[in-house]
Amino acid sequence: MTDKQKYYHLLGEVCEAMPASAVDSAIRAGYGREHKSASTRLHHVKQGKVASLPDLLALIEHSMPDYAVPAHLLPVQEAQPKADLFQPATT
C-alpha cells in the first residue's frame, strides 16, 4: 500500500471522530511551525485536499491521543545502511 493509499484509508477511519480543534491542537503543540502556512496546510490535510500521511498522523497524535493508528497504516521506514557494511574487511 502506498503512503497516499494509507492516508485516505486512515482519513476514512478518523474523519468523523477527529475533533474540530485538531489543527489548533497540532499548531499549539509546535507541529509545523517552520512553515508560514502550516494552519492552512493542516486544514487541507484534514479535509482531504492534501494527501500527506505525516501531517495526518500529527493531527491524530495531537488531537486524538487515545487513538491507536493501525501498524499497517504507518509509513514504511526505509532501512538505513549500516556504516560497517561499507568498511573494508579486516583479517
Side-chain angles (χ1 to χ4, degrees):
M1 194 182 283
T2 67
D3 279 356
K4 192 171 187 178
Q5 290 170 324
K6 291 177 184 181
Y7 164 83
Y8 283 113
H9 188 84
L10 185 57
L11 183 62
E13 286 191 13
V14 299
C15 66
E16 292 184 11
M18 190 178 295
S21 62
V23 172
D24 294 332
S25 297
I27 296 293
R28 266 188 259 117
Y31 186 80
R33 287 193 180 167
E34 63 275 359
H35 302 292
K36 289 183 181 179
S37 60
S39 177
T40 302
R41 178 178 172 81
L42 291 175
H43 277 290
H44 287 172
V45 168
K46 185 179 176 202
Q47 296 167 352
K49 294 179 181 180
V50 175
S52 171
L53 185 58
D55 288 343
L56 180 59
L57 290 170
L59 287 173
I60 293 169
E61 175 187 343
H62 297 294
S63 68
M64 303 171 62
D66 296 332
Y67 180 79
V69 177
H72 70 279
L73 295 178
L74 294 173
V76 175
Q77 299 294 326
E78 294 183 17
Q80 295 292 329
K82 292 184 179 180
D84 60 347
L85 292 176
F86 301 104
Q87 300 296 327
T90 57
T91 56

